[in-house]
Amino acid sequence: MDLFLASRTRGNWTVVEVAGELDLYTSPTLRDDVVSRIDEGTRHLAVDLSRVTFMDSSTLGVLVACLKRMREKGGDITLVGVDGSPMKVLMLTGLDRVFTLAPSLDALPDV
Amino acid sequence: MTLPVGAGAFPRSLSLDIPADATFMATARLFASAAGRTLRLSEERVQDLKVVLSEICASGVDRGHGHISIAVEWDGEQVSVEGRGAGDLQASGEPDDAAAHRWRLLQSLVSVTSCVREADGTTTIQFEIPR
């Protein structure tokens, strides 16, 4: 299944919208996109996963690496709309307590 | 996919052979969906099966094995998944690397359902079918 990525700004947030399935094959595309935004100076990044139907451990590795990179630069990554199997994967690995989670884009705080 | 002939209304075993190549990850998940629905697993268990098969394949790809064989069997009580060519799924390296997440994820899934056995690169993961 193809992975769809798009981005937009919402207030002071940069939102990366992801749709499709994230695995060993597709997650490097997300990593490259997020890393480039961090390196370009984005510090409030929301990754909208509400249309992601599958997520595996390689995706967790990508997300954690991006989060570390962002926090080293004083920013943060919020995962938005995680639900279903991807949320179960986050919870089983305890990473739901590591990431800032928001149920929807409307729930993002003002920054 | 191999479907045994004459196994009754539902096949007792399904198998898939794919190259250890990341481009085939989606194929493994399609197989998991087909197997899970054939065995009348709940949607949540189908999703678990997709995660397990995907992790088995990812492990095989990471470790550079040439070929991955997956067999899903049903004994009427439990679904048994066997992945050959997946290598040792035990985590190694940094606690936050993909292998560590993979191991933690499988351990957690299995603790929810059943058990993992590993020997000589063969991993067997069993799921109990919810009544």
Side-chain angles (χ1 to χ4, degrees), chain A residues 10-83:
Chain A
R10 183 184 173 99
N12 288 324
W13 288 91
T14 297
V15 179
V16 175
E17 297 175 327
V18 190
E21 297 185 325
L22 284 165
D23 61 19
L24 187 65
Y25 183 63
T26 58
S27 60
T29 305
L30 175 63
R31 179 197 60 211
D32 293 347
D33 187 277
V34 170
V35 166
S36 68
R37 292 178 196 289
I38 295 170
D39 291 347
E40 288 167 1
T42 296
R43 294 295 174 262
H44 301 289
L45 182 67
V47 180
D48 184 353
L49 299 172
S50 59
R51 290 194 291 157
V52 169
T53 55
F54 179 85
M55 198 165 79
D56 70 356
S57 62
S58 52
T59 310
L60 298 179
V62 163
L63 290 172
V64 169
C66 290
L67 182 66
K68 281 184 173 178
R69 193 182 189 99
M70 179 65 103
R71 287 185 175 168
E72 284 171 2
K73 295 180 183 296
D76 199 13
I77 294 175
T78 297
L79 304 182
V80 178
V82 190
D83 197 12

Side-chain angles (χ1 to χ4, degrees), chain B residues 7-130:
Chain B
F10 300 104
R12 295 288 177 157
S13 66
L14 302 164
S15 62
L16 177 73
D17 295 317
I18 54 174
D21 185 310
T23 56
F24 286 88
M25 302 287 289
T27 305
R29 288 197 297 279
L30 286 173
F31 171 74
S33 293
R37 287 169 186 141
T38 299
L39 300 177
R40 292 185 170 176
L41 300 185
S42 67
E43 188 55 36
E44 184 177 2
R45 286 292 180 261
V46 171
Q47 294 302 319
D48 290 347
L49 191 58
K50 287 170 74 172
V51 172
V52 169
L53 295 195
S54 190
E55 298 301 338
I56 288 172
C57 291
S59 180
V61 173
D62 279 349
R63 282 157 178 77
H65 291 279
H67 197 73
I68 300 166
S69 298
I70 298 168
V72 177
E73 296 187 3
W74 180 53
D75 66 2
E77 295 294 328
Q78 292 188 104
V79 174
S80 175
V81 178
E82 185 176 272
R84 295 186 185 276
D88 184 358
L89 284 158
Q90 178 73 51
S92 58
E94 297 298 319
D96 281 332
D97 72 10
H101 292 308
R102 179 173 303 134
W103 180 243
R104 199 176 304 137
L105 179 57
L106 284 172
Q107 287 283 72
S108 302
L109 269 178
V110 168
S111 70
V112 170
T113 53
S114 185
C115 67
V116 173
R117 295 197 309 270
E118 297 178 55
D120 301 329
T122 297
T123 303
T124 301
I125 301 172
Q126 292 184 320
F127 288 81
E128 294 177 3
I129 300 173

